[in-house]
Amino acid sequence: MVINVCSVHFQYDPYTYPNDYDLHTGDPKADLAYERQYEQQTYHVIPEVIKNFLQYFHKTISDLIDQKVYELQSNRVSSESIEQKIYEIQDVYENSWNKLTDRFFKNSPWPEAEAIASLVGNGECIGGPTLDQRFESYYNYCNLFNYILNADGPAPLELPNQWLWDIIDEFIYQFQSFSQYRCKTAKKSEEEIEFLRNNPKIWNVHSVLNVLHSLVDKSNINRQLEVYTSGGDPESVAGEYGRHSLYKMLGYFSLVGLLRLHSLLGDYYQAIKVLENIELNKKSMYSRVPECQITTYYYVGFAYLMMRRYQDAIRVFANILLYIQRTRNMFQRSTYKYEMINKQNEQMHGLLAIALTMYPMRIDESIHTQLREKYGDKMLRMQKGDLQVFEEQFSFACPKFLSPVVPNYDNVHPNYHKEPFQQQLKVFAEEVQQQAQLSTIRSFLKLYTTMPVAKLAGFLDMTEQEFRIQLLVFKHKMKNLVWTSGISALDGEFQSASEVDFYIDKDMIHIADTKVARRYGDFFIRQIHKFEELNRTLKKMPASTTTAAAVTTTARAV
Amino acid sequence: MTSSFEQMRANVGKLLRGIDRYQFNPAYFQTQVTSQILLKALTNLPHTDFTLCKCMIDQTHQEERPIRQILYLGNLLETCHFQSFWTSLEENRELIDGITGFEDSVRKFICHVVGITYQTIEHRLLAEMLGDPLDTQVKVWMNKYGWTENDEGQIFIFNQEESVKPKNIVEKIDFESECCHRNPSHISHRVFYLFLYLDVKAEYSHTSLIVFLFTGVSSIMATSQ
């Protein structure tokens, strides 16, 4: 795989990035001319390279078609060679796309990306991209989006959905990376800080939001979705640009981008709101890009968790984890993608563990088993009220939060970049604290059906007054908004599906537990079959006096 | 009420961060606006607007007055420490100037929580929770919700007994459809073997086994006792 990447890189990377900072001669006239030429070059660069790539792709695909036609004509159906071709295309797409991405939009210091980059011999990636590279990347994106949004008519590009998703995904990722980067002023030179100070527009949150909103507007994606979900034809409202798949899908992926961005800024309500025309609670997929599905549900689930909509969060996580389980085999294609999905898979298990601790309820057996394997121990400790474990889980599983504010470069303390995360952690920890007693109370409630309030308070080592207050808290926290119907994922009714319920009548507490009886039907059926098997085997054996004894012995031994 | 909240929610993020058109700027942070938003969020309990606002106000501002006080009040409400809430509010009455009906909204929330927890509650206790030392509010809210009071000072809220009942989820096996497309006599034959087998294993309680045997080919419903 690694070798492949290398060879692909050399094979067709027609675009070599000019190291232009060297080319200013000092002569203003010549430099100005150079600048203009550079602008032009940069403007055309992206479509050019993509055009080349597309040509190569086109050639490979037409070869494939020709081959297929030839084989059909000569009655030779060689599925293997076709499969081989298809695999080749996919393989090539994956790797070379990654290469292009690496080239234009350098990856940040995640270990995986570093490993790939250094293997390819791109030493510049060590220690993360430089300030220059980040600025470069920003301008590249600006050019790309300007081209797409400001063309006189729809741009004549037909790109695979996977690419379009990657573009938006990477765009936000780079913004994220830059926001983190600029807060860490400790290791920066005066020059760099000056540069940052003088260019507040680079990777500015407003610009990023602007791009995403523009793509959404240009494609009329919200109108299209509205019409689509009510059974109509989205083409009728798509508009000149929106009816092209390029714009439509960029619009759709931008919605997911906005979900992500708002979540990173801590605005969970707005995050889910932008998806209000997408039927998140339906099992069908609008986009066939798995990473998009998974990312969407990760952020939606997390937002639900922060909104204290535990049932919704649990349902969303359980569904998407099942989906990943079922489609795992598809992701073997590229290690880079596989890693990312794996990570989100782990994170969602972590979040589900938290949600189920706060709100015990029944979920799919297979997911529950997986969860117990990974987090059984941690869940027990959380149930006992270990705040540290809650915080650890949260830290591992949460998104990498950002502050939209440009730091005051004169006065940035060393942990400034951690503040957005600390803020979210604090809100989460407060919620956990407020519910700290509930787990113990729940386990006590399960033991009784009726009891004087004062007595149960005594068992729990609380005053009656405090216990009554905790019972109110129990009821309050366990009654969440739950989505029942409607398109928007924000809709919902207040419901409680708590397994243990109660009410207070004068001085007595009356408790209602939900007991789930052990399932024995399956067990009986399995044993019946086993016995039939045994019976058949015995019947085949030679009849003798020892048979009866053998039967009894076998029965006892089992 | 809902639509004004929708409007508020749409802008909460921007308002809380003091955003102007061109930049997210902490210098534009307006304490007054933030306080209003937080108080308004409290009036929408049990919705979680208040918690979500906390996610968007950074730590430094959370420690400023009067935001700190409002957050304190909010936490008292979230943890149902209603008596403490009213005491605290008394000491900070100026906070709620400009929010009409703040106290009523809070009482509405309190009645909501009481309504889902209690079947019958002492008059005195309800008065305390509603912050009603002069006993003027209790009657008002009783009327609103149709709660009645008996001679002993007990207020009847709601027949909780109807909805809060123990549930037993059991497996229902219809013997006929599940495994017997065969001769019923075969079944009792197998049942006998099974009994032997299970006796040896001693895994299940005898009650359920006996039920199984005696009901033969009809459908089984066991209660777990």
Side-chain angles (χ1 to χ4, degrees), chain A residues 2-30:
Chain A
V2 167
I3 301 162
N4 223 354
V5 167
C6 278
S7 65
V8 157
H9 168 69
F10 293 130
Q11 202 175 316
Y12 51 93
D13 191 3
Y15 173 68
T16 37
Y17 211 84
N19 203 349
D20 34 83
Y21 298 102
D22 298 336
L23 296 177
H24 286 88
T25 56
D27 173 352
K29 243 190 177 170

PDB file of all heavy atoms in Angstrom, chain A residues 2-30:
ATOM      1  N   VAL A   2       1.886   1.204   0.838  1.00  0.00           N
ATOM      2  CA  VAL A   2       2.785   2.367   0.937  1.00  0.00           C
ATOM      3  C   VAL A   2       3.521   2.573  -0.377  1.00  0.00           C
ATOM      4  O   VAL A   2       3.616   3.671  -0.889  1.00  0.00           O
ATOM      5  CB  VAL A   2       3.779   2.144   2.095  1.00  0.00           C
ATOM      6  CG1 VAL A   2       4.884   3.155   2.016  1.00  0.00           C
ATOM      7  CG2 VAL A   2       3.036   2.249   3.422  1.00  0.00           C
ATOM      8  N   ILE A   3       4.003   1.493  -0.910  1.00  0.00           N
ATOM      9  CA  ILE A   3       4.769   1.566  -2.163  1.00  0.00           C
ATOM     10  C   ILE A   3       3.880   2.118  -3.262  1.00  0.00           C
ATOM     11  O   ILE A   3       4.286   2.977  -4.039  1.00  0.00           O
ATOM     12  CB  ILE A   3       5.312   0.185  -2.552  1.00  0.00           C
ATOM     13  CG1 ILE A   3       6.225  -0.336  -1.423  1.00  0.00           C
ATOM     14  CG2 ILE A   3       6.074   0.270  -3.854  1.00  0.00           C
ATOM     15  CD1 ILE A   3       6.461  -1.808  -1.472  1.00  0.00           C
ATOM     16  N   ASN A   4       2.650   1.628  -3.266  1.00  0.00           N
ATOM     17  CA  ASN A   4       1.677   2.100  -4.240  1.00  0.00           C
ATOM     18  C   ASN A   4       1.567   3.616  -4.212  1.00  0.00           C
ATOM     19  O   ASN A   4       1.626   4.285  -5.220  1.00  0.00           O
ATOM     20  CB  ASN A   4       0.322   1.480  -3.892  1.00  0.00           C
ATOM     21  CG  ASN A   4      -0.377   0.999  -5.131  1.00  0.00           C
ATOM     22  OD1 ASN A   4       0.092   1.230  -6.235  1.00  0.00           O
ATOM     23  ND2 ASN A   4      -1.492   0.341  -4.935  1.00  0.00           N
ATOM     24  N   VAL A   5       1.415   4.109  -3.003  1.00  0.00           N
ATOM     25  CA  VAL A   5       1.250   5.557  -2.846  1.00  0.00           C
ATOM     26  C   VAL A   5       2.433   6.288  -3.454  1.00  0.00           C
ATOM     27  O   VAL A   5       2.289   7.259  -4.190  1.00  0.00           O
ATOM     28  CB  VAL A   5       1.107   5.919  -1.339  1.00  0.00           C
ATOM     29  CG1 VAL A   5       1.261   7.400  -1.124  1.00  0.00           C
ATOM     30  CG2 VAL A   5      -0.241   5.467  -0.832  1.00  0.00           C
ATOM     31  N   CYS A   6       3.609   5.819  -3.146  1.00  0.00           N
ATOM     32  CA  CYS A   6       4.826   6.459  -3.673  1.00  0.00           C
ATOM     33  C   CYS A   6       4.829   6.480  -5.178  1.00  0.00           C
ATOM     34  O   CYS A   6       5.059   7.505  -5.799  1.00  0.00           O
ATOM     35  CB  CYS A   6       6.063   5.707  -3.191  1.00  0.00           C
ATOM     36  SG  CYS A   6       6.538   6.193  -1.545  1.00  0.00           S
ATOM     37  N   SER A   7       4.564   5.312  -5.755  1.00  0.00           N
ATOM     38  CA  SER A   7       4.691   5.224  -7.204  1.00  0.00           C
ATOM     39  C   SER A   7       3.624   6.060  -7.885  1.00  0.00           C
ATOM     40  O   SER A   7       3.857   6.675  -8.906  1.00  0.00           O
ATOM     41  CB  SER A   7       4.610   3.771  -7.658  1.00  0.00           C
ATOM     42  OG  SER A   7       3.324   3.281  -7.363  1.00  0.00           O
ATOM     43  N   VAL A   8       2.472   6.084  -7.259  1.00  0.00           N
ATOM     44  CA  VAL A   8       1.402   6.903  -7.843  1.00  0.00           C
ATOM     45  C   VAL A   8       1.830   8.356  -7.847  1.00  0.00           C
ATOM     46  O   VAL A   8       1.606   9.100  -8.780  1.00  0.00           O
ATOM     47  CB  VAL A   8       0.100   6.714  -7.017  1.00  0.00           C
ATOM     48  CG1 VAL A   8      -0.835   7.884  -7.196  1.00  0.00           C
ATOM     49  CG2 VAL A   8      -0.568   5.422  -7.419  1.00  0.00           C
ATOM     50  N   HIS A   9       2.448   8.725  -6.800  1.00  0.00           N
ATOM     51  CA  HIS A   9       2.896  10.111  -6.659  1.00  0.00           C
ATOM     52  C   HIS A   9       3.795  10.493  -7.820  1.00  0.00           C
ATOM     53  O   HIS A   9       3.642  11.536  -8.436  1.00  0.00           O
ATOM     54  CB  HIS A   9       3.605  10.245  -5.313  1.00  0.00           C
ATOM     55  CG  HIS A   9       4.373  11.512  -5.144  1.00  0.00           C
ATOM     56  ND1 HIS A   9       3.763  12.723  -5.024  1.00  0.00           N
ATOM     57  CD2 HIS A   9       5.695  11.750  -5.098  1.00  0.00           C
ATOM     58  CE1 HIS A   9       4.692  13.664  -4.879  1.00  0.00           C
ATOM     59  NE2 HIS A   9       5.864  13.102  -4.919  1.00  0.00           N
ATOM     60  N   PHE A  10       4.749   9.599  -8.134  1.00  0.00           N
ATOM     61  CA  PHE A  10       5.669   9.941  -9.212  1.00  0.00           C
ATOM     62  C   PHE A  10       5.026   9.779 -10.567  1.00  0.00           C
ATOM     63  O   PHE A  10       5.362  10.472 -11.509  1.00  0.00           O
ATOM     64  CB  PHE A  10       6.914   9.050  -9.143  1.00  0.00           C
ATOM     65  CG  PHE A  10       7.714   9.347  -7.915  1.00  0.00           C
ATOM     66  CD1 PHE A  10       8.127   8.323  -7.073  1.00  0.00           C
ATOM     67  CD2 PHE A  10       8.064  10.659  -7.608  1.00  0.00           C
ATOM     68  CE1 PHE A  10       8.878   8.612  -5.944  1.00  0.00           C
ATOM     69  CE2 PHE A  10       8.808  10.933  -6.478  1.00  0.00           C
ATOM     70  CZ  PHE A  10       9.227   9.907  -5.638  1.00  0.00           C
ATOM     71  N   GLN A  11       4.108   8.843 -10.634  1.00  0.00           N
ATOM     72  CA  GLN A  11       3.530   8.519 -11.925  1.00  0.00           C
ATOM     73  C   GLN A  11       2.758   9.678 -12.518  1.00  0.00           C
ATOM     74  O   GLN A  11       2.949  10.038 -13.650  1.00  0.00           O
ATOM     75  CB  GLN A  11       2.594   7.324 -11.747  1.00  0.00           C
ATOM     76  CG  GLN A  11       2.345   6.574 -13.021  1.00  0.00           C
ATOM     77  CD  GLN A  11       1.517   5.351 -12.697  1.00  0.00           C
ATOM     78  OE1 GLN A  11       1.797   4.660 -11.715  1.00  0.00           O
ATOM     79  NE2 GLN A  11       0.515   5.098 -13.503  1.00  0.00           N
ATOM     80  N   TYR A  12       1.874  10.230 -11.774  1.00  0.00           N
ATOM     81  CA  TYR A  12       1.174  11.359 -12.366  1.00  0.00           C
ATOM     82  C   TYR A  12       0.887  12.405 -11.313  1.00  0.00           C
ATOM     83  O   TYR A  12      -0.149  12.433 -10.687  1.00  0.00           O
ATOM     84  CB  TYR A  12      -0.117  10.938 -13.063  1.00  0.00           C
ATOM     85  CG  TYR A  12      -1.010  10.087 -12.221  1.00  0.00           C
ATOM     86  CD1 TYR A  12      -2.009  10.651 -11.454  1.00  0.00           C
ATOM     87  CD2 TYR A  12      -0.855   8.701 -12.196  1.00  0.00           C
ATOM     88  CE1 TYR A  12      -2.819   9.865 -10.689  1.00  0.00           C
ATOM     89  CE2 TYR A  12      -1.666   7.926 -11.424  1.00  0.00           C
ATOM     90  CZ  TYR A  12      -2.639   8.516 -10.682  1.00  0.00           C
ATOM     91  OH  TYR A  12      -3.448   7.730  -9.924  1.00  0.00           O
ATOM     92  N   ASP A  13       1.834  13.219 -11.137  1.00  0.00           N
ATOM     93  CA  ASP A  13       1.608  14.399 -10.315  1.00  0.00           C
ATOM     94  C   ASP A  13       2.071  15.567 -11.149  1.00  0.00           C
ATOM     95  O   ASP A  13       3.158  16.094 -10.962  1.00  0.00           O
ATOM     96  CB  ASP A  13       2.395  14.267  -9.013  1.00  0.00           C
ATOM     97  CG  ASP A  13       1.975  15.327  -8.021  1.00  0.00           C
ATOM     98  OD1 ASP A  13       1.053  16.095  -8.356  1.00  0.00           O
ATOM     99  OD2 ASP A  13       2.553  15.381  -6.954  1.00  0.00           O
ATOM    100  N   PRO A  14       1.269  15.910 -12.109  1.00  0.00           N
ATOM    101  CA  PRO A  14       1.715  16.883 -13.095  1.00  0.00           C
ATOM    102  C   PRO A  14       1.898  18.271 -12.509  1.00  0.00           C
ATOM    103  O   PRO A  14       2.575  19.110 -13.058  1.00  0.00           O
ATOM    104  CB  PRO A  14       0.585  16.893 -14.142  1.00  0.00           C
ATOM    105  CG  PRO A  14      -0.612  16.464 -13.377  1.00  0.00           C
ATOM    106  CD  PRO A  14      -0.138  15.525 -12.321  1.00  0.00           C
ATOM    107  N   TYR A  15       1.290  18.463 -11.402  1.00  0.00           N
ATOM    108  CA  TYR A  15       1.354  19.798 -10.832  1.00  0.00           C
ATOM    109  C   TYR A  15       2.457  19.884  -9.792  1.00  0.00           C
ATOM    110  O   TYR A  15       2.384  19.258  -8.751  1.00  0.00           O
ATOM    111  CB  TYR A  15       0.009  20.130 -10.194  1.00  0.00           C
ATOM    112  CG  TYR A  15       0.042  21.429  -9.442  1.00  0.00           C
ATOM    113  CD1 TYR A  15       0.192  22.630 -10.128  1.00  0.00           C
ATOM    114  CD2 TYR A  15      -0.046  21.456  -8.061  1.00  0.00           C
ATOM    115  CE1 TYR A  15       0.231  23.806  -9.437  1.00  0.00           C
ATOM    116  CE2 TYR A  15       0.012  22.634  -7.368  1.00  0.00           C
ATOM    117  CZ  TYR A  15       0.145  23.806  -8.068  1.00  0.00           C
ATOM    118  OH  TYR A  15       0.200  24.985  -7.397  1.00  0.00           O
ATOM    119  N   THR A  16       3.472  20.615 -10.077  1.00  0.00           N
ATOM    120  CA  THR A  16       4.492  20.847  -9.054  1.00  0.00           C
ATOM    121  C   THR A  16       4.346  22.273  -8.575  1.00  0.00           C
ATOM    122  O   THR A  16       4.270  23.203  -9.355  1.00  0.00           O
ATOM    123  CB  THR A  16       5.911  20.655  -9.630  1.00  0.00           C
ATOM    124  OG1 THR A  16       5.918  21.142 -10.955  1.00  0.00           O
ATOM    125  CG2 THR A  16       6.286  19.184  -9.601  1.00  0.00           C
ATOM    126  N   TYR A  17       4.277  22.402  -7.304  1.00  0.00           N
ATOM    127  CA  TYR A  17       4.007  23.689  -6.699  1.00  0.00           C
ATOM    128  C   TYR A  17       5.253  24.576  -6.758  1.00  0.00           C
ATOM    129  O   TYR A  17       6.267  24.240  -6.195  1.00  0.00           O
ATOM    130  CB  TYR A  17       3.592  23.461  -5.252  1.00  0.00           C
ATOM    131  CG  TYR A  17       2.638  24.496  -4.766  1.00  0.00           C
ATOM    132  CD1 TYR A  17       1.271  24.384  -5.002  1.00  0.00           C
ATOM    133  CD2 TYR A  17       3.102  25.603  -4.092  1.00  0.00           C
ATOM    134  CE1 TYR A  17       0.403  25.346  -4.553  1.00  0.00           C
ATOM    135  CE2 TYR A  17       2.234  26.567  -3.649  1.00  0.00           C
ATOM    136  CZ  TYR A  17       0.890  26.435  -3.881  1.00  0.00           C
ATOM    137  OH  TYR A  17       0.030  27.387  -3.442  1.00  0.00           O
ATOM    138  N   PRO A  18       5.169  25.685  -7.421  1.00  0.00           N
ATOM    139  CA  PRO A  18       6.355  26.543  -7.508  1.00  0.00           C
ATOM    140  C   PRO A  18       6.662  27.151  -6.149  1.00  0.00           C
ATOM    141  O   PRO A  18       5.768  27.622  -5.462  1.00  0.00           O
ATOM    142  CB  PRO A  18       5.946  27.625  -8.504  1.00  0.00           C
ATOM    143  CG  PRO A  18       4.467  27.661  -8.456  1.00  0.00           C
ATOM    144  CD  PRO A  18       3.999  26.288  -8.082  1.00  0.00           C
ATOM    145  N   ASN A  19       7.918  27.114  -5.819  1.00  0.00           N
ATOM    146  CA  ASN A  19       8.317  27.721  -4.558  1.00  0.00           C
ATOM    147  C   ASN A  19       8.550  29.200  -4.814  1.00  0.00           C
ATOM    148  O   ASN A  19       9.672  29.666  -5.010  1.00  0.00           O
ATOM    149  CB  ASN A  19       9.584  27.043  -4.049  1.00  0.00           C
ATOM    150  CG  ASN A  19       9.719  27.217  -2.545  1.00  0.00           C
ATOM    151  OD1 ASN A  19       8.989  28.008  -1.941  1.00  0.00           O
ATOM    152  ND2 ASN A  19      10.633  26.494  -1.960  1.00  0.00           N
ATOM    153  N   ASP A  20       7.460  29.935  -4.834  1.00  0.00           N
ATOM    154  CA  ASP A  20       7.513  31.290  -5.390  1.00  0.00           C
ATOM    155  C   ASP A  20       8.155  32.326  -4.494  1.00  0.00           C
ATOM    156  O   ASP A  20       8.499  33.396  -4.948  1.00  0.00           O
ATOM    157  CB  ASP A  20       6.116  31.744  -5.779  1.00  0.00           C
ATOM    158  CG  ASP A  20       5.111  31.165  -4.828  1.00  0.00           C
ATOM    159  OD1 ASP A  20       4.923  31.738  -3.755  1.00  0.00           O
ATOM    160  OD2 ASP A  20       4.567  30.102  -5.175  1.00  0.00           O
ATOM    161  N   TYR A  21       8.264  31.992  -3.241  1.00  0.00           N
ATOM    162  CA  TYR A  21       8.825  33.021  -2.361  1.00  0.00           C
ATOM    163  C   TYR A  21      10.255  33.354  -2.746  1.00  0.00           C
ATOM    164  O   TYR A  21      10.772  34.404  -2.380  1.00  0.00           O
ATOM    165  CB  TYR A  21       8.747  32.589  -0.896  1.00  0.00           C
ATOM    166  CG  TYR A  21       7.327  32.390  -0.464  1.00  0.00           C
ATOM    167  CD1 TYR A  21       6.774  31.111  -0.348  1.00  0.00           C
ATOM    168  CD2 TYR A  21       6.499  33.492  -0.247  1.00  0.00           C
ATOM    169  CE1 TYR A  21       5.450  30.957   0.009  1.00  0.00           C
ATOM    170  CE2 TYR A  21       5.183  33.321   0.114  1.00  0.00           C
ATOM    171  CZ  TYR A  21       4.664  32.058   0.235  1.00  0.00           C
ATOM    172  OH  TYR A  21       3.351  31.898   0.581  1.00  0.00           O
ATOM    173  N   ASP A  22      10.864  32.432  -3.512  1.00  0.00           N
ATOM    174  CA  ASP A  22      12.236  32.701  -3.960  1.00  0.00           C
ATOM    175  C   ASP A  22      12.283  33.588  -5.188  1.00  0.00           C
ATOM    176  O   ASP A  22      13.317  34.124  -5.525  1.00  0.00           O
ATOM    177  CB  ASP A  22      12.932  31.382  -4.319  1.00  0.00           C
ATOM    178  CG  ASP A  22      13.027  30.483  -3.118  1.00  0.00           C
ATOM    179  OD1 ASP A  22      12.990  31.002  -1.987  1.00  0.00           O
ATOM    180  OD2 ASP A  22      13.131  29.271  -3.310  1.00  0.00           O
ATOM    181  N   LEU A  23      11.155  33.676  -5.885  1.00  0.00           N
ATOM    182  CA  LEU A  23      11.248  34.254  -7.222  1.00  0.00           C
ATOM    183  C   LEU A  23      11.073  35.775  -7.292  1.00  0.00           C
ATOM    184  O   LEU A  23      11.081  36.351  -8.349  1.00  0.00           O
ATOM    185  CB  LEU A  23      10.241  33.577  -8.164  1.00  0.00           C
ATOM    186  CG  LEU A  23      10.552  32.095  -8.372  1.00  0.00           C
ATOM    187  CD1 LEU A  23       9.511  31.432  -9.240  1.00  0.00           C
ATOM    188  CD2 LEU A  23      11.923  31.936  -9.008  1.00  0.00           C
ATOM    189  N   HIS A  24      10.870  36.406  -6.170  1.00  0.00           N
ATOM    190  CA  HIS A  24      10.800  37.871  -6.207  1.00  0.00           C
ATOM    191  C   HIS A  24      12.208  38.412  -6.385  1.00  0.00           C
ATOM    192  O   HIS A  24      13.116  38.103  -5.630  1.00  0.00           O
ATOM    193  CB  HIS A  24      10.196  38.399  -4.907  1.00  0.00           C
ATOM    194  CG  HIS A  24       8.724  38.153  -4.838  1.00  0.00           C
ATOM    195  ND1 HIS A  24       8.203  37.004  -4.337  1.00  0.00           N
ATOM    196  CD2 HIS A  24       7.687  38.913  -5.255  1.00  0.00           C
ATOM    197  CE1 HIS A  24       6.871  37.067  -4.419  1.00  0.00           C
ATOM    198  NE2 HIS A  24       6.540  38.213  -4.969  1.00  0.00           N
ATOM    199  N   THR A  25      12.363  39.194  -7.408  1.00  0.00           N
ATOM    200  CA  THR A  25      13.714  39.650  -7.746  1.00  0.00           C
ATOM    201  C   THR A  25      14.093  40.921  -7.001  1.00  0.00           C
ATOM    202  O   THR A  25      15.245  41.268  -6.904  1.00  0.00           O
ATOM    203  CB  THR A  25      13.819  39.957  -9.255  1.00  0.00           C
ATOM    204  OG1 THR A  25      12.789  40.920  -9.559  1.00  0.00           O
ATOM    205  CG2 THR A  25      13.569  38.694 -10.062  1.00  0.00           C
ATOM    206  N   GLY A  26      13.117  41.621  -6.525  1.00  0.00           N
ATOM    207  CA  GLY A  26      13.430  42.908  -5.897  1.00  0.00           C
ATOM    208  C   GLY A  26      13.103  44.059  -6.832  1.00  0.00           C
ATOM    209  O   GLY A  26      12.936  45.192  -6.419  1.00  0.00           O
ATOM    210  N   ASP A  27      12.961  43.724  -8.104  1.00  0.00           N
ATOM    211  CA  ASP A  27      12.598  44.755  -9.070  1.00  0.00           C
ATOM    212  C   ASP A  27      11.074  44.857  -9.072  1.00  0.00           C
ATOM    213  O   ASP A  27      10.398  43.926  -9.485  1.00  0.00           O
ATOM    214  CB  ASP A  27      13.118  44.351 -10.451  1.00  0.00           C
ATOM    215  CG  ASP A  27      12.617  45.293 -11.543  1.00  0.00           C
ATOM    216  OD1 ASP A  27      11.770  46.155 -11.261  1.00  0.00           O
ATOM    217  OD2 ASP A  27      13.086  45.150 -12.671  1.00  0.00           O
ATOM    218  N   PRO A  28      10.509  45.989  -8.675  1.00  0.00           N
ATOM    219  CA  PRO A  28       9.058  46.082  -8.487  1.00  0.00           C
ATOM    220  C   PRO A  28       8.262  45.728  -9.726  1.00  0.00           C
ATOM    221  O   PRO A  28       7.278  45.023  -9.658  1.00  0.00           O
ATOM    222  CB  PRO A  28       8.801  47.542  -8.085  1.00  0.00           C
ATOM    223  CG  PRO A  28      10.112  48.176  -7.938  1.00  0.00           C
ATOM    224  CD  PRO A  28      11.185  47.247  -8.305  1.00  0.00           C
ATOM    225  N   LYS A  29       8.739  46.219 -10.887  1.00  0.00           N
ATOM    226  CA  LYS A  29       7.980  45.954 -12.104  1.00  0.00           C
ATOM    227  C   LYS A  29       7.885  44.460 -12.391  1.00  0.00           C
ATOM    228  O   LYS A  29       6.817  43.921 -12.639  1.00  0.00           O
ATOM    229  CB  LYS A  29       8.665  46.647 -13.295  1.00  0.00           C
ATOM    230  CG  LYS A  29       7.802  47.711 -13.936  1.00  0.00           C
ATOM    231  CD  LYS A  29       8.403  48.178 -15.220  1.00  0.00           C
ATOM    232  CE  LYS A  29       7.499  49.205 -15.896  1.00  0.00           C
ATOM    233  NZ  LYS A  29       8.183  49.826 -17.017  1.00  0.00           N
ATOM    234  N   ALA A  30       9.066  43.820 -12.312  1.00  0.00           N
ATOM    235  CA  ALA A  30       9.115  42.383 -12.620  1.00  0.00           C
ATOM    236  C   ALA A  30       8.287  41.608 -11.599  1.00  0.00           C
ATOM    237  O   ALA A  30       7.554  40.688 -11.937  1.00  0.00           O
ATOM    238  CB  ALA A  30      10.545  41.896 -12.632  1.00  0.00           C
TER     239      ALA A  30
END
